[in-house]
Amino acid sequence: MDSTDRTSPDRTAVARDRDGEGRARNARPRDGLGRPLPYGAEGVPRQPEGIVRPPEASVVEAQRLLDEGKPFHAHEVFEDAWKSGPEEERELWRGLAQLAVGLTHAARGNLTGGVRLLRRGAGAVEEWAAGAGSARPHGIDLDGVVAWARELAAEVERGDGVPVDAGARAPRLRDASRRG
């Protein structure tokens, strides 16, 4: 039997999903929090990866996705910025990506992982701001975003084990005081 002939109950015989560079990619549909759905299910459109955007566009797109309750997809936007942006900003974008993944985990019900990533991302963003001497790069309210992450982590930690509503609890990147 050829490796492309193997099937599972939910899949027809196809070659392994690959991107243009030959890396494995999973073509299963995903929900708004990035969780895989069964083949054939209706999912949300995937965030394209590897998009090079100006920082302004990254902030706007990530905020849109966060507001829609799609922090997993917002993390992809931040990851693109961290991988394609200037070296001196990589830790900023990486920290923001960690915050988005922390919200994703808290919304999926992985509360321990959510708390850890919210705190790790907050620390990374705070450390970057201290080293760069900038609290508002590209208009991002880093102090507000850090406060949001720490408050949400503390709330999740002392909460009743219920996943958070990602859209309702999304940060405001440019004016973090607008959300509570």
Side-chain angles (χ1 to χ4, degrees):
M1 174 194 272
D2 182 273
S3 65
T4 60
D5 294 335
R6 293 186 185 136
T7 61
S8 70
D10 298 328
R11 235 178 127 165
T12 59
V14 293
R16 191 168 179 198
D17 302 326
R18 300 276 176 184
D19 67 12
E21 296 176 6
R23 289 182 299 229
R25 295 287 184 217
N26 189 330
R28 284 177 64 180
R30 304 257 174 185
D31 72 5
L33 293 173
R35 292 175 290 214
L37 298 171
Y39 286 99
E42 180 92 18
V44 300
R46 296 183 83 149
Q47 185 64 34
E49 295 179 45
I51 303 295
V52 177
R53 300 174 184 88
E56 170 74 20
S58 293
V59 174
V60 168
E61 179 65 4
Q63 186 68 69
R64 181 185 70 77
L65 292 163
L66 289 164
D67 290 345
E68 290 177 3
K70 299 175 183 172
F72 177 82
H73 301 276
H75 131 270
E76 297 286 356
V77 171
F78 290 136
E79 189 173 284
D80 285 342
W82 130 39
K83 290 180 177 179
S84 67
E87 181 68 35
E88 62 272 8
E89 290 187 0
R90 290 200 175 153
E91 290 306 310
L92 165 66
W93 297 108
R94 192 172 92 146
L96 292 169
Q98 288 173 332
L99 293 175
V101 173
L103 179 56
T104 299
H105 282 293
R108 287 178 175 177
N110 175 3
L111 304 180
T112 301
V115 166
R116 283 185 184 143
L117 278 163
L118 286 165
R119 288 191 174 133
R120 184 181 306 150
V125 167
E126 193 170 54
E127 185 177 326
W128 181 87
S134 176
R136 294 191 68 84
H138 312 296
I140 304 168
D141 177 8
L142 295 185
D143 291 338
V145 170
V146 166
W148 162 85
R150 290 198 169 124
E151 288 168 15
L152 182 58
E155 179 184 313
V156 168
E157 196 167 50
R158 70 175 176 268
D160 56 9
V162 175
V164 302
D165 179 328
R169 296 312 312 267
R172 299 301 309 162
L173 299 172
R174 293 226 160 104
D175 183 6
S177 65
R178 289 181 39 205
R179 229 352 103 116

